[in-house]
Amino acid sequence: MTDLDATLEHAARDWIAGDPDPVTRAELQALLDGGDAVALRAHAGATLVFGTAGLRGEVGPGPNRMNRATVIRATRGLADHLLARVPDEAERGVVVGFDARPDSERFAHDVVAVLVGAGLSVSWFPRPTPTPVVAFTARRLDTAAAVVVTASHNPPADNGYKVYDEYGVQITAPTDTQIAAAIAAVGPASEVLGVGRPVDGATRLGDAAVDAYLAAVTAGREVSTPLPKPLVVTPMHGVGGTFVERALRLAGHGDVVRVVAQWDPDGTFPTVTFPNPEEPGALDLAFATADHVGAPVVLANDPDADRLAVAVRDHGWRRLTGDEVGVVLAHHLLSQGRVADRRVVVSSIVSSARLGEVARLNDARHETTLTGFKWIWRAGRALEADGWRFVLGYEEALGYSVGNAVRDKDGISAAVVMGQVLAGLAARDQDLPGHLAELDDRYGRWCNVQRSVRREGPDGAAEIAAAMERARTAAPSSLGPRRVARHEDLLGGADARPAWLPADDVVVWHLDGGSRVLVRPSGTEPKLKVYVDLRLDDGEDASAADAVGAAALAALGLAG
C-alpha cells in the first residue's frame, strides 16, 4: 500500500477495534479485506463532523458514517461538555427522543445508556416521538440539554443526532465546537462507560408528557364551529400522524381523514423516494385521498413532524410555498392579537421580506436572522428577555414556530393554527385561495424563486468562489428592469448587527421597492444558491422573478 493507503488502513483497523457493534465491525472489515480504497476512504477516510445541526449522514460502518460507535462517542463527548460547563447538569439531566428510522431506537438506547453511565439524570421517550414534543418536554422539565435521534426529511439511508441546549434551542457556535472538541477527546466507543447496559436507570416518558405538549399547543386555538369539509392529514410515514390528529381533534376539528398508506411510522418510506413534502410527487397519495373524500386542503408533515406543508384545491392542487404559509400564519396571529403588546415576528434571511410588511401594518416588530431555527430562537430569547412577545418565527423551507411553547420549528402546532385559520375562513364563507388573494392586496404581491448552480470538483469550487467574489465586488447596477439600490456583504460588519446575524458567507443585493436577491454557497453541496424575493408590480407575474434570477446568474458569471 502507499503511505496514504497505510494511513487509511490504520484508521479503519483502529475503528474496528473500538466498535462495539459486531455488524458494523464486520462490514468495515469486509471493505478492508476487499481492498476497495475508494469505498474504504468514503467510510473511514474522514470523521463525520459535529456541527450546529449535531450529526447527520448516511448509516453505515466507519467514522464517516452514522452508526452505534459514532453515536456513543458523540454522547460521551456531549456528557463531558455538559458536566464541565452547565451548572447542575447531573441533576437537571437530559431528555432523549428518536424517530422511526430503522436504527433510531438502537441509537437512542445507546444515548441513554451512555448518559446514565456518565452519572446524568435522563428522561426518555421509549417510542418514536416527534422532535417538537421532545424539545417542548426539555423546556417543561428544565433539563440541561436534549438529544433527538432523527434525520428529519433526509433520504431513507440517513440518520442524525440533534442537540438542544439548556434553553431548549438548537445549539449554536461556540457550543458546537466545544462539543466537537469533547467528542474528539473520547477514546474507543467500546470503552465508553455504559455501553451495552440496559436503560433501567432512566425515567420513561409517556402519556403525561404528550398530554402536556398537546395542551400547550392547542390552548386558545379551539374553534367554535368545525370545518364543513374533511381535513386530510399525512405524516409521510413519519411519527407525527397520531399527534397531529389528536391536536386537531382537541382544537375542535372532528373530521380529520388519514392518508392510510402513509400513516404508520415506517423509516423505509415505502411510498415516497424522498420523504420531503416539498418534493414533486410526495403528496400524490394525499391528493388522491382528498379527491376521494372531497377535502379542499391537505396538511402534511415531514417524518419528524417539525415541518408543515399545506396544499389547497385551486383549479387543481396548489402547494403553498413556505413564505405563503408564513404570511397566512403571521396575518392570523397578528390581526387577532392586542396591538398594545410588544409583539415580534422573526424570519430567516432567505425568507420573504413580505413578513416585514405584515408586521409593519399590524404594529409589530420584525427581525431577520441567519438561516435556521437556532438563529430564529437566539433572536427570540433575547427579544423576550427585553420584554417582547414572540408571536411567530418561520423560514421558507416549511418551518414555523408559533408562540414560545417550543423553541424550534413545530409542524404540529402550525397545523393547529392553520386549522384555526381555515375554520375562521369557512365561518365567513371564504376559502384559502381567496384569502391569499386578499393578503396580496393588503401586503403586496410577492414572488420567491430559488436558483441553484452545481459545480463539481476543484474547478467547480473555484468557479463558485469566483462568483461569490463578483457578488461582493462587482454588484450589477440593475437586474432586468430592477435597479440594485445597494449591496450588503454579511462577511463584514457583524459588530454592527445583532447576535443573530453574525458574519456569514452571504451577499444581499437590495433592489428598489424592498425586493432582494441573496447569493450564498451551499454549506453541504457543491452549489451556489441564488434567492430572489421580488415584490411584483402591477401586471407582473412569476416570470418577472425568473427573469431577475436569470440576470443574477449572468451577473455572477454562471449563466447557463
Side-chain angles (χ1 to χ4, degrees):
M1 286 192 172
T2 66
D3 289 341
L4 177 62
D5 291 333
T7 301
L8 183 61
E9 180 185 17
H10 180 73
R13 293 195 185 282
D14 274 357
W15 188 265
I16 291 167
D19 186 348
D21 190 306
V23 174
T24 48
R25 275 203 315 267
E27 289 173 343
L28 191 58
Q29 185 65 54
L31 290 176
L32 191 60
D33 294 342
D36 186 341
V38 173
L40 191 62
R41 187 172 290 107
H43 286 261
T47 299
L48 203 61
V49 176
F50 187 96
T52 54
L55 294 166
R56 193 170 292 184
E58 187 176 345
V59 175
N64 200 32
R65 292 290 186 267
M66 285 295 299
N67 51 61
R68 289 186 60 206
T70 297
V71 168
I72 288 164
R73 295 186 69 251
T75 304
R76 182 67 231 197
L78 173 63
D80 291 341
H81 165 83
L82 294 173
L83 289 168
R85 294 179 179 269
V86 180
D88 304 320
E89 153 52 22
E91 293 75 26
R92 292 176 67 189
V94 181
V95 168
V96 178
F98 60 94
D99 69 13
R101 289 173 184 259
D103 297 282
S104 292
E105 184 172 3
R106 174 66 267 182
F107 291 167
H109 275 250
D110 285 322
V111 173
V112 174
V114 171
L115 292 173
V116 171
L120 307 184
S121 170
V122 179
S123 300
W124 74 299
F125 289 91
R127 295 188 296 274
T129 303
T131 293
V133 177
V134 181
F136 168 85
T137 304
R139 279 202 68 204
R140 184 174 69 89
L141 299 180
D142 189 32
T143 59
V147 175
V148 186
V149 178
T150 179
S152 188
H153 57 283
N154 273 39
D158 289 0
N159 213 322
Y161 185 102
K162 180 183 289 188
V163 179
Y164 293 84
D165 66 16
E166 61 180 315
Y167 306 107
V169 180
Q170 290 184 54
I171 57 170
T172 57
T175 302
D176 56 343
T177 56
Q178 293 168 353
I179 296 173
I183 294 169
V186 175
S190 59
E191 297 176 9
V192 171
L193 191 63
V195 171
R197 294 184 182 179
V199 293
D200 297 339
T203 299
R204 298 166 75 91
L205 297 166
D207 292 343
V210 173
D211 290 346
Y213 165 81
L214 292 173
V217 300
T218 57
R221 308 293 184 202
E222 300 86 356
V223 298
S224 56
T225 304
L227 290 167
K229 293 184 178 181
L231 193 57
V232 167
V233 173
T234 177
M236 295 191 63
H237 301 292
V239 298
T242 57
F243 293 83
V244 173
E245 183 180 59
R246 285 185 62 190
L248 289 169
R249 292 190 187 282
L250 284 171
H253 304 287
D255 198 359
V256 178
V257 176
R258 301 176 174 185
V259 179
V260 176
Q262 296 178 335
W263 194 257
D264 294 331
D266 184 344
T268 66
F269 308 109
T271 69
V272 291
T273 55
F274 201 123
N276 182 347
E278 294 179 288
E279 290 294 311
L283 297 182
D284 285 355
L285 282 175
F287 295 157
T289 301
D291 288 339
H292 179 69
V293 300
V297 177
V298 165
L299 302 180
N301 294 111
D302 68 340
D304 70 334
D306 66 354
R307 299 176 189 236
L308 174 72
V310 180
V312 59
R313 194 189 303 276
D314 184 18
H315 305 292
W317 283 102
R318 169 186 174 186
R319 293 191 298 180
L320 272 59
T321 67
D323 286 309
E324 287 176 320
V325 175
V327 167
V328 168
L329 297 180
H331 170 79
H332 173 75
L333 295 166
L334 291 177
S335 62
Q336 290 196 337
R338 293 184 300 146
V339 174
D341 288 349
R342 301 179 74 204
R343 303 173 301 169
V344 63
V345 292
V346 184
S347 57
S348 65
I349 195 168
V350 297
S351 301
S352 178
R354 183 156 75 148
L355 185 62
E357 280 291 285
V358 179
R360 183 179 67 83
L361 292 175
N362 287 280
D363 298 306
R365 176 176 175 176
H366 172 234
E367 286 289 333
T368 300
T369 74
L370 291 189
T371 302
F373 272 79
K374 56 185 175 287
W375 295 111
I376 287 174
W377 263 107
R378 185 164 184 171
R381 281 192 58 240
L383 293 165
E384 284 187 334
D386 198 32
W388 292 87
R389 182 166 67 86
F390 185 95
V391 175
L392 174 73
Y394 96 87
E395 60 183 11
E396 46 79 37
L398 306 184
Y400 318 95
S401 181
V402 179
N404 66 359
V406 178
R407 286 176 169 167
D408 194 12
K409 54 187 176 291
D410 180 356
I412 300 171
S413 61
V416 171
V417 179
M418 182 56 69
Q420 193 179 29
V421 170
L422 295 170
L425 293 174
R428 300 192 298 273
D429 200 26
Q430 291 182 298
D431 59 15
L432 193 50
H435 184 53
L436 288 165
E438 289 180 341
L439 296 181
D440 284 347
D441 290 340
R442 180 165 184 178
Y443 303 118
R445 292 188 306 123
W446 292 71
C447 185
N448 308 95
V449 173
Q450 182 186 144
R451 303 284 292 270
S452 295
V453 175
R454 190 179 190 95
R455 294 291 187 266
E456 303 279 359
D459 291 343
E463 191 173 354
I464 289 173
M468 288 303 302
E469 182 64 17
R470 288 190 196 95
R472 290 192 163 86
T473 62
S477 59
S478 63
L479 295 172
R482 295 299 206 277
R483 187 177 74 90
V484 178
R486 63 185 178 91
H487 85 281
E488 181 181 13
D489 182 358
L490 293 190
L491 274 183
D495 291 344
R497 298 194 299 266
W500 49 86
L501 270 175
D504 197 37
D505 195 5
V506 176
V507 174
V508 186
W509 294 337
H510 294 273
L511 313 182
D512 284 342
S515 300
R516 306 170 305 158
V517 172
L518 293 91
V519 184
R520 71 177 181 92
S522 170
T524 56
E525 299 178 273
K527 287 182 179 181
L528 184 132
K529 296 187 175 183
V530 174
Y531 301 82
V532 177
D533 180 30
L534 195 69
R535 183 167 189 158
L536 299 177
D537 293 333
D538 290 342
E540 286 186 323
D541 57 22
S543 63
D546 288 330
V548 168
L553 290 177
L556 295 168
L558 295 172

